[in-house]
Amino acid sequence: MRYAKLLREYLKVNLKALAVYDLDFYFAIFGMAIQNILNIVALGFLFNIVPSIKGYSFQELILTYSLATLSFSIFRCFFINTLNIAEFINKGTLDTILVKPINPLFQLINQRADEDSWGDLAVSLILVIFVDVQLGYPWYITVMFIFISLFTSLIFMGLALLGNTVSLFSNGLSDLAEVTFDFFELSKYPLSIYSQALKWILTFIFPIGWIASIPQERIAQHHEWYWLFVIPVICVVFFVIIYQLWKLFLNKYQSTGT
Amino acid sequence: MSMGFKKGFSSRYALVFYLGSILISITIQFFLWKAVLVNKPEVEFKQTISYLVLMQFLSMAFPKSSYELNDEIKSGDMALSLLKPISLENKFFWEGLGYSLAKVVVIGLVEIVIYFLLVPHAVTVLSVLMVCVAIALAYTLYFEIELILGTFAFYTYSIWGIATFKSAILLILSGNIFPVEYYPSFIRSLSDILPFQYSFGAVGLLSQNPSLDLFTKIVLIQLFYIVVFHFIYLGLFNRAVKSVVIQGG
Amino acid sequence: MIIETNGLSKKYKKIKSKGLLKKEYIDYSAVNNITLSIEKNEHIGLVGLNGSGKSTLIKMILGILQPTGGEVKTFDRDPVKFRQKNAMHIGIVFGQRSQLRWDLPPIDTFKLNREIYRIPVDVYEERLARLTKLLDAAEFLYQPVRTLSLGQRMKAEFIAALIHDPELIILDEPTIGLDVVTKNSIVSFLKTLTDKTIIFTSHDLEEVEKVCSRVIILNRGKLVLDKSIAEVEKLDTPTTIKFTTQDDLSKIQGKLEIRKVSDSSYEVADIASDEVKNTLSLITGQLDIQHIEVKRSKLEYLLEQTAERRDNFES
């Protein structure tokens, strides 16, 4: 309850901060929308060369793309600040977080909002709905995808926190922000295009496959509804394990100090 | 220039991570194109993927001066830089070049090795020379585009929106992510006219097909755009400085 | 007892030399065997030069740094374990890092803090009004922080740190870089907080003397002095007089020990406090003075003294 109230206050403040960047904010949303459309156009070019890629049609490939983008933009809208921990350590802002009577991760997440991910969120949401209609999927599949995406964004956050541990360990030396973006790139395509070894890694070590490829295959193609339960559990378990690790490294950071 | 070079090495870890992310990106393109060109001859796949590796190399090596210009404007360091006896353009160019060279030493070598492993046709000294000249000009052209973008920061608070816009244009019109030869003919002829392709795709085409004719054509267009953009930048910049001075910012 | 430490130490490993394959480390004591206790409503001045261990000590008291030896208790609890609980009763101003949101007005940070510290709205409004008045901050509460001057920003930091009415206030070099007027207004504001425990770190002893009831001096991680302000004031600190003159010094030569600093600039050092007046009148009476300066740096003197004492002791 207390955290819910706090969250509301943080949201208000963050939205206000976004409003400062007025012109640029709209530019960003516009730019992101265009970038998404162009990405899809580029995907479309591929289908000028072949009719289907590993059995995936153009629409199906767009669905993988937009599911990954939806999940990633939820992560960016709400949890992006976890990527800035190296900067927080270097500027000493992490200390001002640690001396407050609130969970440090909660504060870190809410410390800043990202201005240009809202465009992505809107575009990917529209895309998911649009492609589902194109493919003739019933409406509840779309709802399921949106529900699943709320959880799969936790995988991105987990990966970001994993990168954080390196920053905490090295006192803000290295910044692993970019790597989360690379993971996002990997998640945009069906697992079946990758080699066996890579498929295995992306399922069991860095669970990227769970973000778009597995939900699409299990739910939209095979209608195996129990995955609606399995996927969120996997996401939460992954996140909790990484969060424990993160806390461990935060304590370690406290024992070394600056 | 040595400033930029040092900057590159002080964040050695950052460069290692950068290399990692480029390798991931190459991996994705490798598998994607393998799936796409599954029924085509092996040579075509190799040619495409070596082209894309070359594009990766260019995107990595090219300067990000727009961010630095933007930083300088936001932090107010601008005023100091304007007082220095070296023009801002020169300062950014040499700093950016130093940083680029540092990146090339760490990351570029790996990419060049990958490129030569994949490239399916024989490489002659002359073709290497022509590609190098084209890369140098592509670099300069890209730098001018970056400066123009950075100058927009005088008018808006941050540059991210504009930068996103830029990368969107690059994606579709430059042949950076997608090989120019596979563009549909309409986009292909559009990107032939616009400047963006001459920072990326044209270099790739030249590397696949190193004829003197193509080389001359590309170099002339590159030079033309460099000169034009340089004057556009100067115009924008002088206007921006004036407005800053009037505001007393 | 608000804070109690017993043999508190913090050791770091510092890289001594970096070889190709292995690094050599040396142990470095940031805080070395400090035992002290701070009671309610005491105003403590924590003084030391840069790198003397002030910040490390503060961080351990706050529980954001784990000690390597000894123990520390804040509000009779282990601060690391009870960090979030303790944080409800602590207010902190860091002179060099900000808790304010850079692109927003200070008022938004205050509102956030209201939620973080669960302050009822009416209590919050009343406190805000009082703090704003005391610090004369009304005019800039609604301006974005990035447009504020350093002095205004610091005042806003104070309000943000005190809005939850903390029992313990920690001020880590809060006056660094401020102009005299702002400094004075902050000092007189701090004086009004008599029902609070304050720890004020600074490397300026004179400033601390104005605010605090007790002074603790750290040097290279060790506690070298812990005395009430009255005792510190009583300490006889020798004075140095510097002056510039074109005159011939022969008139006063022999009566004073004069050292030549540079052309026509001289210095008389180590003057006992009851001798200062005489010495001054002697110099000004006999010579045509262009510039004169009386310097009495208690901190430097105290640090020198304690360092010497320890050297003697150790040898």
Side-chain angles (χ1 to χ4, degrees), chain A residues 200-215:
Chain A
W200 191 83
I201 292 172
L202 295 183
T203 310
F204 298 108
I205 298 180
F206 301 112
I208 314 283
W210 298 86
I211 290 164
S213 183
I214 292 175

Side-chain angles (χ1 to χ4, degrees), chain A residues 20-21 23-24 28 32 35 38-39 42 45-46 49-50 53 115-116 173-174 176 182 185-186 189 193 195 198, chain B residues 13 17 21 28 31-33 35-36 40 156-161 164-165 167-168 171-172 178 182-184 187:
Chain A
V20 176
Y21 298 92
L23 186 58
D24 220 46
M32 294 305 270
Q35 182 149 30
L38 293 183
N39 272 326
F45 292 169
L46 286 177
I49 310 170
V50 278
I53 297 173
E115 70 258 27
D116 47 36
L173 197 68
S174 43
L176 274 171
D182 299 327
E185 292 298 320
L186 280 166
Y189 303 98
I193 70 161
S195 66
L198 202 55
Chain B
Y13 289 95
F17 292 136
S21 74
I28 294 172
F31 286 114
L32 184 65
W33 282 94
V36 171
K40 298 271 165 77
T156 62
Y157 264 123
S158 89
I159 197 165
W160 298 101
T164 319
F165 199 64
S167 61
L171 170 73
I172 206 78
F178 199 89
Y182 293 119
Y183 279 156
I187 296 197

Side-chain angles (χ1 to χ4, degrees), chain A residues 82 96 112 132 146 161 169-170 192 224 230 236:
Chain A
T82 47
T96 67
R112 200 160 81 193
D132 281 352
I146 294 169
L161 292 186
F169 184 72
S170 58
S192 54
E224 292 165 354
V230 175
V236 171

Side-chain angles (χ1 to χ4, degrees), chain B residues 3 5 40 61 71 75 84 122 146 149 175 181 215 223 235 244 248:
Chain B
M3 271 282 290
F5 200 78
K40 298 271 165 77
D71 267 357
S75 66
K84 288 203 178 126
E146 282 280 319
L149 279 170
E181 56 192 305
F215 174 71
L223 284 173
V244 167

Side-chain angles (χ1 to χ4, degrees), chain A residues 3 8 28 30 33 61 94 140 159 180 252 255:
Chain A
Y3 277 83
R8 201 190 60 198
F30 188 55
L61 214 60
L94 192 61
Y140 50 81
L159 293 168
T180 313
K252 167 113 181 64
S255 62

